[in-house]
Amino acid sequence: MSVLLAPSILSANLARLADEVARIEQAADWIHLDVMDGHFVPNLSFGAGTVRDLIAGTRLPADVHLMIEDPARWVRDYAEAGAMSVTFHVEAADDPLGCARAIAASGAQVGVALRPATPLAAVEPLLGVIDLLLIMTVEPGFGGQAFRADQVAKLAAARRLRGLRGERWRIEVDGGIGESTIGVAAAAGAQVFVAGSAVFGSTDPVDMLRRLRQAAQESAPPPT
Ligand code: DX5
Ligand code: ZN
């Protein structure tokens, strides 16, 4: 199984974003961009203008995680900004299937995210149209929180469900991922790993990414 590492810039120096992205470019697979609106989550980050300029300055595909209300209204802006994938929260959308189709129609990969309290059943109607299923292992809104081990069963259930349905969407995990937690997430079936504070809080982010990749690869189950 291929492991994809997606550092989140939320824990980077936000006044030097281009430099921070350049620091990890050689060792990362994607860049994870957390968009927060102060309503869906109690924090604010940045919007489509910043996302567009960041994308223009890096070769890394941009994995945009929208933690915003009324995502359908905004998804096209992020796709047009050049996002490789646009992920919205199922809890935030009035019409999740319509939102997913709007992302697909705008040419980006479709992601749907679940808060820890949201059951997998909430996304079942979308599974036929998504490219990414993002399972949050912290309450969305802030970097640097502890990994919620109670979400490991959801990762494993998602992997089983994908096998039963014969689908190909990727399972992504976000929140509290670091050297001591990436293995359990990989073993349960995660394939894309978001890490913010573990990478940008490290004195050597490139070496940290190398170690995270190795730990994930060692724990990954055989491909199904
Ligand atoms: C949290 C964000 C995460 C965050 C992860 O709501 O979605 O992407 O940056 O940060 P860490 O890796 O520090 O938990
Ligand atoms: Zn995120």
Side-chain angles (χ1 to χ4, degrees):
M1 182 198 76
S2 77
V3 164
L4 295 172
L5 299 181
S8 160
I9 59 168
L10 200 59
S11 298
N13 182 330
L14 297 176
R16 298 188 186 172
L17 273 182
D19 295 342
E20 294 281 75
V21 175
R23 267 172 100 195
I24 51 87
E25 202 166 48
Q26 65 179 108
D29 300 295
W30 297 351
I31 189 80
H32 182 84
L33 304 177
D34 288 302
V35 175
M36 304 181 181
D37 66 353
H39 294 280
F40 180 70
V41 290
N43 195 7
L44 270 175
S45 58
F46 43 77
T50 306
V51 166
R52 182 194 59 229
D53 291 347
L54 281 168
I55 289 172
T58 180
R59 65 165 189 84
L60 292 173
D63 178 39
V64 174
H65 178 192
L66 298 179
M67 286 164 273
I68 63 174
E69 288 181 354
D70 197 10
R73 181 174 168 194
W74 304 105
V75 291
R76 182 189 289 269
D77 287 359
Y78 290 92
E80 287 177 356
M84 178 259 324
S85 62
V86 178
T87 295
F88 67 99
H89 271 265
V90 68
E91 307 89 351
D94 294 335
D95 172 15
L97 194 54
C99 190
R101 289 189 174 132
I103 297 170
S106 62
Q109 291 188 29
V110 181
V112 63
L114 292 167
R115 286 181 183 272
T118 306
L120 207 47
V123 295
E124 283 208 43
L126 306 180
L127 295 178
V129 297
I130 64 168
D131 300 289
L132 278 172
L133 178 66
L134 193 166
I135 294 180
M136 293 298 301
T137 41
V138 296
E139 199 55 51
F142 298 91
Q145 302 179 75
F147 179 80
R148 286 194 36 173
D150 63 345
Q151 297 303 300
V152 172
K154 196 190 284 180
L155 290 167
R159 182 166 180 268
R160 278 196 303 275
L161 186 60
R162 185 184 55 192
L164 287 171
R165 294 174 60 101
E167 292 170 343
R168 306 283 300 167
W169 34 270
R170 288 184 162 118
I171 300 172
E172 179 171 14
V173 64
D174 184 1
I177 293 293
E179 277 189 286
S180 63
T181 55
I182 196 168
V184 69
Q191 302 158 295
V192 184
F193 303 87
V194 178
S197 52
V199 172
F200 287 103
S202 158
T203 50
D204 187 342
V206 168
D207 189 55
M208 175 55 69
L209 284 164
R210 185 188 59 74
R211 284 188 278 156
L212 289 173
R213 189 182 302 281
Q214 187 175 346
Q217 282 169 343
E218 283 169 1
S219 303
T224 51

PDB file of all heavy atoms in Angstrom, residues 8 10-11 32 34 36 65 67 136 140-144 174-176 194-197, ligand 1:
ATOM      1  N   SER A   8      -0.002  19.419   7.424  1.00  0.00           N
ATOM      2  CA  SER A   8      -0.943  20.530   7.555  1.00  0.00           C
ATOM      3  C   SER A   8      -0.181  21.777   7.983  1.00  0.00           C
ATOM      4  O   SER A   8       0.525  21.765   8.991  1.00  0.00           O
ATOM      5  CB  SER A   8      -1.988  20.202   8.618  1.00  0.00           C
ATOM      6  OG  SER A   8      -2.598  21.401   9.070  1.00  0.00           O
ATOM      7  N   LEU A  10      -1.317  24.341   9.301  1.00  0.00           N
ATOM      8  CA  LEU A  10      -1.941  25.071  10.410  1.00  0.00           C
ATOM      9  C   LEU A  10      -0.948  25.322  11.549  1.00  0.00           C
ATOM     10  O   LEU A  10      -1.044  26.338  12.241  1.00  0.00           O
ATOM     11  CB  LEU A  10      -3.133  24.253  10.927  1.00  0.00           C
ATOM     12  CG  LEU A  10      -4.192  24.967  11.726  1.00  0.00           C
ATOM     13  CD1 LEU A  10      -4.818  26.094  10.910  1.00  0.00           C
ATOM     14  CD2 LEU A  10      -5.261  23.975  12.172  1.00  0.00           C
ATOM     15  N   SER A  11      -0.009  24.410  11.726  1.00  0.00           N
ATOM     16  CA  SER A  11       0.969  24.567  12.799  1.00  0.00           C
ATOM     17  C   SER A  11       2.273  25.176  12.300  1.00  0.00           C
ATOM     18  O   SER A  11       3.266  25.224  13.042  1.00  0.00           O
ATOM     19  CB  SER A  11       1.274  23.214  13.454  1.00  0.00           C
ATOM     20  OG  SER A  11       0.104  22.699  14.036  1.00  0.00           O
ATOM     21  N   HIS A  32      -1.677  19.787   3.031  1.00  0.00           N
ATOM     22  CA  HIS A  32      -3.043  19.809   3.575  1.00  0.00           C
ATOM     23  C   HIS A  32      -3.354  21.228   4.046  1.00  0.00           C
ATOM     24  O   HIS A  32      -2.641  21.780   4.890  1.00  0.00           O
ATOM     25  CB  HIS A  32      -3.115  18.813   4.725  1.00  0.00           C
ATOM     26  CG  HIS A  32      -4.459  18.667   5.368  1.00  0.00           C
ATOM     27  ND1 HIS A  32      -5.448  17.839   4.863  1.00  0.00           N
ATOM     28  CD2 HIS A  32      -4.991  19.232   6.476  1.00  0.00           C
ATOM     29  CE1 HIS A  32      -6.506  17.889   5.647  1.00  0.00           C
ATOM     30  NE2 HIS A  32      -6.266  18.744   6.637  1.00  0.00           N
ATOM     31  N   ASP A  34      -6.032  23.714   5.762  1.00  0.00           N
ATOM     32  CA  ASP A  34      -7.199  23.724   6.642  1.00  0.00           C
ATOM     33  C   ASP A  34      -7.894  25.075   6.581  1.00  0.00           C
ATOM     34  O   ASP A  34      -7.372  26.072   7.078  1.00  0.00           O
ATOM     35  CB  ASP A  34      -6.755  23.457   8.088  1.00  0.00           C
ATOM     36  CG  ASP A  34      -6.332  22.015   8.294  1.00  0.00           C
ATOM     37  OD1 ASP A  34      -7.152  21.118   8.049  1.00  0.00           O
ATOM     38  OD2 ASP A  34      -5.164  21.800   8.691  1.00  0.00           O
ATOM     39  N   MET A  36     -10.922  27.320   7.845  1.00  0.00           N
ATOM     40  CA  MET A  36     -11.859  27.401   8.977  1.00  0.00           C
ATOM     41  C   MET A  36     -12.557  28.750   8.966  1.00  0.00           C
ATOM     42  O   MET A  36     -11.915  29.771   8.698  1.00  0.00           O
ATOM     43  CB  MET A  36     -11.094  27.272  10.292  1.00  0.00           C
ATOM     44  CG  MET A  36     -10.274  26.014  10.398  1.00  0.00           C
ATOM     45  SD  MET A  36      -9.458  25.976  11.990  1.00  0.00           S
ATOM     46  CE  MET A  36      -8.569  24.429  11.835  1.00  0.00           C
ATOM     47  N   HIS A  65      -9.091  21.057   3.129  1.00  0.00           N
ATOM     48  CA  HIS A  65     -10.036  20.557   4.139  1.00  0.00           C
ATOM     49  C   HIS A  65     -10.891  21.728   4.596  1.00  0.00           C
ATOM     50  O   HIS A  65     -10.428  22.596   5.330  1.00  0.00           O
ATOM     51  CB  HIS A  65      -9.221  19.958   5.293  1.00  0.00           C
ATOM     52  CG  HIS A  65     -10.039  19.446   6.438  1.00  0.00           C
ATOM     53  ND1 HIS A  65      -9.473  19.100   7.648  1.00  0.00           N
ATOM     54  CD2 HIS A  65     -11.379  19.207   6.569  1.00  0.00           C
ATOM     55  CE1 HIS A  65     -10.422  18.669   8.470  1.00  0.00           C
ATOM     56  NE2 HIS A  65     -11.580  18.739   7.847  1.00  0.00           N
ATOM     57  N   MET A  67     -13.472  23.335   6.802  1.00  0.00           N
ATOM     58  CA  MET A  67     -14.215  23.264   8.071  1.00  0.00           C
ATOM     59  C   MET A  67     -15.070  24.522   8.127  1.00  0.00           C
ATOM     60  O   MET A  67     -14.810  25.450   8.897  1.00  0.00           O
ATOM     61  CB  MET A  67     -13.234  23.165   9.244  1.00  0.00           C
ATOM     62  CG  MET A  67     -12.588  21.794   9.349  1.00  0.00           C
ATOM     63  SD  MET A  67     -11.130  21.782  10.382  1.00  0.00           S
ATOM     64  CE  MET A  67      -9.904  22.234   9.147  1.00  0.00           C
ATOM     65  N   MET A 136     -11.722  12.220  11.116  1.00  0.00           N
ATOM     66  CA  MET A 136     -11.063  13.091  12.086  1.00  0.00           C
ATOM     67  C   MET A 136     -10.791  12.309  13.370  1.00  0.00           C
ATOM     68  O   MET A 136     -11.688  11.680  13.927  1.00  0.00           O
ATOM     69  CB  MET A 136     -11.957  14.294  12.429  1.00  0.00           C
ATOM     70  CG  MET A 136     -12.190  15.283  11.303  1.00  0.00           C
ATOM     71  SD  MET A 136     -10.710  16.106  10.692  1.00  0.00           S
ATOM     72  CE  MET A 136     -10.080  16.923  12.160  1.00  0.00           C
ATOM     73  N   PRO A 140     -12.444  18.809  15.128  1.00  0.00           N
ATOM     74  CA  PRO A 140     -11.827  19.776  14.208  1.00  0.00           C
ATOM     75  C   PRO A 140     -11.775  21.190  14.793  1.00  0.00           C
ATOM     76  O   PRO A 140     -12.630  21.568  15.578  1.00  0.00           O
ATOM     77  CB  PRO A 140     -12.730  19.725  12.973  1.00  0.00           C
ATOM     78  CG  PRO A 140     -13.985  19.065  13.404  1.00  0.00           C
ATOM     79  CD  PRO A 140     -13.643  18.193  14.569  1.00  0.00           C
ATOM     80  N   GLY A 141     -10.757  21.925  14.399  1.00  0.00           N
ATOM     81  CA  GLY A 141     -10.653  23.329  14.811  1.00  0.00           C
ATOM     82  C   GLY A 141      -9.259  23.768  15.206  1.00  0.00           C
ATOM     83  O   GLY A 141      -8.901  24.916  14.973  1.00  0.00           O
ATOM     84  N   PHE A 142      -8.479  22.868  15.768  1.00  0.00           N
ATOM     85  CA  PHE A 142      -7.168  23.278  16.276  1.00  0.00           C
ATOM     86  C   PHE A 142      -6.142  22.176  16.046  1.00  0.00           C
ATOM     87  O   PHE A 142      -6.479  20.988  16.133  1.00  0.00           O
ATOM     88  CB  PHE A 142      -7.240  23.581  17.776  1.00  0.00           C
ATOM     89  CG  PHE A 142      -8.173  24.721  18.091  1.00  0.00           C
ATOM     90  CD1 PHE A 142      -9.511  24.475  18.379  1.00  0.00           C
ATOM     91  CD2 PHE A 142      -7.722  26.033  18.040  1.00  0.00           C
ATOM     92  CE1 PHE A 142     -10.386  25.527  18.632  1.00  0.00           C
ATOM     93  CE2 PHE A 142      -8.590  27.091  18.297  1.00  0.00           C
ATOM     94  CZ  PHE A 142      -9.928  26.837  18.595  1.00  0.00           C
ATOM     95  N   GLY A 143      -4.908  22.591  15.801  1.00  0.00           N
ATOM     96  CA  GLY A 143      -3.804  21.649  15.751  1.00  0.00           C
ATOM     97  C   GLY A 143      -3.340  21.330  17.167  1.00  0.00           C
ATOM     98  O   GLY A 143      -3.747  21.973  18.140  1.00  0.00           O
ATOM     99  N   GLY A 144      -2.495  20.314  17.270  1.00  0.00           N
ATOM    100  CA  GLY A 144      -1.839  20.028  18.536  1.00  0.00           C
ATOM    101  C   GLY A 144      -2.667  19.278  19.563  1.00  0.00           C
ATOM    102  O   GLY A 144      -2.264  19.184  20.720  1.00  0.00           O
ATOM    103  N   ASP A 174      -6.833  12.501  10.144  1.00  0.00           N
ATOM    104  CA  ASP A 174      -6.410  13.869  10.459  1.00  0.00           C
ATOM    105  C   ASP A 174      -6.632  14.139  11.936  1.00  0.00           C
ATOM    106  O   ASP A 174      -7.769  14.077  12.410  1.00  0.00           O
ATOM    107  CB  ASP A 174      -7.246  14.836   9.600  1.00  0.00           C
ATOM    108  CG  ASP A 174      -6.845  16.297   9.761  1.00  0.00           C
ATOM    109  OD1 ASP A 174      -5.910  16.593  10.512  1.00  0.00           O
ATOM    110  OD2 ASP A 174      -7.507  17.131   9.106  1.00  0.00           O
ATOM    111  N   GLY A 175      -5.542  14.437  12.632  1.00  0.00           N
ATOM    112  CA  GLY A 175      -5.649  14.836  14.026  1.00  0.00           C
ATOM    113  C   GLY A 175      -4.790  13.992  14.946  1.00  0.00           C
ATOM    114  O   GLY A 175      -4.997  12.793  15.069  1.00  0.00           O
ATOM    115  N   GLY A 176      -3.785  14.620  15.554  1.00  0.00           N
ATOM    116  CA  GLY A 176      -2.967  13.924  16.530  1.00  0.00           C
ATOM    117  C   GLY A 176      -2.040  12.873  15.948  1.00  0.00           C
ATOM    118  O   GLY A 176      -1.570  11.985  16.669  1.00  0.00           O
ATOM    119  N   VAL A 194      -2.535  13.094   7.623  1.00  0.00           N
ATOM    120  CA  VAL A 194      -2.327  14.527   7.850  1.00  0.00           C
ATOM    121  C   VAL A 194      -1.546  14.664   9.146  1.00  0.00           C
ATOM    122  O   VAL A 194      -1.874  14.011  10.135  1.00  0.00           O
ATOM    123  CB  VAL A 194      -3.681  15.253   7.965  1.00  0.00           C
ATOM    124  CG1 VAL A 194      -3.463  16.735   8.250  1.00  0.00           C
ATOM    125  CG2 VAL A 194      -4.509  15.045   6.704  1.00  0.00           C
ATOM    126  N   ALA A 195      -0.530  15.501   9.142  1.00  0.00           N
ATOM    127  CA  ALA A 195       0.200  15.768  10.392  1.00  0.00           C
ATOM    128  C   ALA A 195       0.596  17.229  10.391  1.00  0.00           C
ATOM    129  O   ALA A 195       1.231  17.707   9.446  1.00  0.00           O
ATOM    130  CB  ALA A 195       1.428  14.867  10.505  1.00  0.00           C
ATOM    131  N   GLY A 196       0.195  17.928  11.431  1.00  0.00           N
ATOM    132  CA  GLY A 196       0.499  19.355  11.547  1.00  0.00           C
ATOM    133  C   GLY A 196       1.594  19.601  12.552  1.00  0.00           C
ATOM    134  O   GLY A 196       2.765  19.798  12.191  1.00  0.00           O
ATOM    135  N   SER A 197       1.254  19.538  13.839  1.00  0.00           N
ATOM    136  CA  SER A 197       2.234  19.879  14.872  1.00  0.00           C
ATOM    137  C   SER A 197       3.417  18.917  14.881  1.00  0.00           C
ATOM    138  O   SER A 197       4.548  19.325  15.160  1.00  0.00           O
ATOM    139  CB  SER A 197       1.562  19.938  16.242  1.00  0.00           C
ATOM    140  OG  SER A 197       0.833  18.764  16.486  1.00  0.00           O
TER     141      SER A 197
HETATM  142  C1  DX5 B   1      -7.639  20.210  12.793  1.00  0.00           C
HETATM  143  C2  DX5 B   1      -7.114  20.188  11.387  1.00  0.00           C
HETATM  144  C3  DX5 B   1      -5.872  19.436  11.262  1.00  0.00           C
HETATM  145  C4  DX5 B   1      -4.727  19.948  12.097  1.00  0.00           C
HETATM  146  C5  DX5 B   1      -3.974  18.751  12.540  1.00  0.00           C
HETATM  147  O1  DX5 B   1      -8.944  20.626  12.824  1.00  0.00           O
HETATM  148  O2  DX5 B   1      -8.051  19.638  10.490  1.00  0.00           O
HETATM  149  O3  DX5 B   1      -5.482  19.253   9.909  1.00  0.00           O
HETATM  150  O4  DX5 B   1      -3.867  20.834  11.448  1.00  0.00           O
HETATM  151  O5  DX5 B   1      -3.025  19.125  13.454  1.00  0.00           O
HETATM  152  P1  DX5 B   1      -2.242  18.064  14.344  1.00  0.00           P
HETATM  153  O6  DX5 B   1      -1.527  17.150  13.406  1.00  0.00           O
HETATM  154  O7  DX5 B   1      -1.338  18.905  15.170  1.00  0.00           O
HETATM  155  O8  DX5 B   1      -3.284  17.323  15.158  1.00  0.00           O
END
